[in-house]
Amino acid sequence: MNSRIHYFATVAMLALLSAPVMAETLPEFRPALLGTYRRSLINTINTESLMKRGQGDAVLMFTAGVSPLGFGYVWETYRGTPNSQLLAREVMDRTSQAQFEPAVYKHLHVGVTLTGTVSFSIVGGKPHLRIFLNQEESDLKQGKDFIAPQLAFPAGNPKYEGIYYPGHVMTGPGVVAVTLDIDVNGKVQNAILAYEHPAGKGFGAEALDGLRKAVFIPGFRNGKAVPCRFTFPLIFSGTSRAPKTG
């Protein structure tokens, strides 16, 4: 694979692993969750080691692919506060070890791409770690129980074909943020380009076209599915028009 869009590097694998296994006890929708497993992400990050190696207070954001079996795949960290490199590396290094509670779309386990925020602090000489499955500043500041919508890859969604490099762009990175309105059933009601760099190269248009055809696990607030507006980041990198599905 000569190139990839980091955010979606595992979509093909997630789609292949989306086994249509029905379980009567599964709800209609459920986001992928950190879970309480021994190998859940929050339990595999070595906070004591981070503190001993000199990591101070830091915050960073991440995206991750999670399979229908709950295994974490390719990750990307970004927008870290100054001197958050050790935390970023620790989060990345634990990717293959992390076990999540898998997402559910229409009563079936599915692969998803999720977004989140990691906060590390030292209080009274002891390390403290918090992980939020959203990147919305207002919710993070208030500590609200909100899980952002997660891009889902159920079987049988022919409209969604992926997100490609713009046809005239053959190399170089691109960063896009799209403001999405998602209804209680995970359908995209509106998509607005919030940020694009470099501007005018077509990255935003490609992202909008793909996301309008995608489906999501709806946002969850206080444990219940809700319609919501959130910001969805995408990172393009590589040397060709390779699609997000790798």
Side-chain angles (χ1 to χ4, degrees), residues 5-237:
I5 299 175
H6 285 302
Y7 197 84
F8 297 105
T10 61
V11 175
M13 181 178 293
L14 295 177
L16 289 173
L17 290 174
S18 294
V21 178
M22 188 72 173
E24 293 182 0
T25 58
L26 293 179
E28 183 175 13
F29 301 109
R30 186 183 67 204
L33 303 171
L34 295 176
T36 58
Y37 304 105
R38 181 179 59 84
R39 294 191 298 108
S40 65
L41 181 62
I42 199 163
N43 290 332
T44 58
I45 293 177
N46 193 330
T47 56
E48 290 288 343
S49 174
L50 279 171
M51 183 177 66
K52 290 178 180 178
R53 285 182 285 153
Q55 179 63 68
D57 293 0
V59 177
L60 58 82
M61 294 182 174
F62 69 88
T63 65
V66 178
S67 83
L69 299 178
F71 296 115
Y73 286 95
V74 174
W75 290 53
E76 184 72 18
T77 62
Y78 48 92
R79 293 179 63 185
T81 54
N83 302 313
S84 60
Q85 292 88 347
L86 288 174
L87 177 61
R89 177 46 54 193
E90 179 73 11
V91 170
M92 294 290 289
D93 286 347
R94 301 302 176 184
T95 298
S96 61
Q97 303 174 26
Q99 171 73 53
F100 292 80
E101 187 72 28
V104 176
Y105 182 84
K106 293 187 177 180
H107 308 288
L108 295 173
H109 287 304
V110 296
V112 296
T113 297
L114 55 79
T115 62
T117 305
V118 179
S119 173
F120 179 83
S121 61
I122 299 175
V123 180
K126 295 184 178 180
H128 292 264
L129 181 72
R130 298 188 71 184
I131 302 176
F132 305 89
L133 294 181
N134 77 80
Q135 300 179 349
E136 303 309 300
E137 185 175 356
S138 60
D139 287 296
L140 294 172
K141 286 183 175 180
Q142 299 178 51
K144 291 184 177 180
D145 182 9
F146 175 64
I147 299 175
Q150 299 171 357
L151 180 60
F153 306 103
N157 181 22
K159 294 183 179 179
Y160 183 67
E161 299 177 348
I163 299 174
Y164 290 76
Y165 261 70
H168 61 285
V169 177
M170 301 304 293
T171 187
V175 179
V176 172
V178 178
T179 299
L180 293 170
D181 290 314
I182 306 295
D183 70 14
V184 73
N185 294 309
K187 294 182 180 179
V188 178
Q189 299 299 304
N190 194 30
I192 302 171
L193 181 62
Y195 176 80
E196 176 188 34
H197 180 80
K201 297 293 186 181
F203 289 106
E206 290 290 339
L208 286 170
D209 181 62
L211 291 175
R212 284 171 176 150
K213 301 172 184 176
V215 295
F216 288 76
I217 306 295
F220 272 69
R221 193 176 294 280
N222 299 318
K224 295 182 179 180
V226 294
C228 65
R229 169 173 287 189
F230 80 114
T231 301
F232 193 79
L234 299 97
I235 300 173
F236 296 75
S237 70

